[in-house]
Amino acid sequence: MKLLLTSAGLTNRSIADALLDLAKKPFAELNLAIIPTAANMEKGDKGWMIDDYFNCKKQGFKLIDIVDISALPQNIWRPRLEAADVLLFEGGNSFYLNHWIEKSGLKEILPQMLETRVYVGISAGSMVVCKNLDLSTSEKLYYDAPSEFDKNEGLGYIDILIRPHLNSPDFPNVNMGKLTELAQEYPEEFYAIDDNSAIKINGDEIAVVSEGIWKKFN
């Protein structure tokens, strides 16, 4: 399985090159499908989402499709995802995304799809592939899960946990001090990555790609 788990998408050349290395094709030959579902729960300004899309457009993908699995039946979204080389899961609410990956039926077929495709996560899209969503629920870091989407079990594709947006002004509690405190209380291994960093996973190989700041805890 090939995964590129980011905090804010294709924000720099190093992260974009990591995607090329996983995909084994130039951008001009790659079809991208963006799954925006996690953002449906986020109110207010969506400038950050537009930035994510623009960063994708700048790479020169052959095709960019936007496929909301919560808004379309499987007979519509499935062939569009199958036509893509790269599946990018947008940021937003990780619990809502996790809920719809299961409810839509994507959870059952995604592992098979990823045998021949690259998974790219942005924030929530990165966190849902972990074994649980504990780093989303921590009051020290971000928000509490809405009660109707409170399933904490992730997809379980990787054993590590990821906390995006390190040192971001939009997430003032996600800083080295708070994370160090959390690591003393929470024994799980996790990576904190800023918006210029990513975790690149190719089978059993895990590497950090960064032009910013990151830290591995525990």
Side-chain angles (χ1 to χ4, degrees), residues 110-122:
L110 188 55
Q112 182 179 0
M113 294 180 73
L114 293 178
E115 291 177 4
T116 55
R117 295 167 182 81
V118 180
Y119 181 109
V120 177
I122 296 180

Side-chain angles (χ1 to χ4, degrees), residues 3 14 23 29 49 59 70 78 81 85 87-88 99 102 109 114 116 118 132-134 138 150 156-157 177 187 196:
L3 312 173
S14 296
E29 297 179 12
M49 193 174 180
Q59 309 309 321
S70 71
R78 181 170 180 170
L81 296 188
D85 304 289
L87 305 178
L88 187 151
H99 168 80
E102 181 169 356
I109 61 176
L114 293 178
T116 55
V118 180
N132 62 57
L133 303 180
D134 285 354
S138 174
D150 62 359
Y157 295 165
N196 281 298

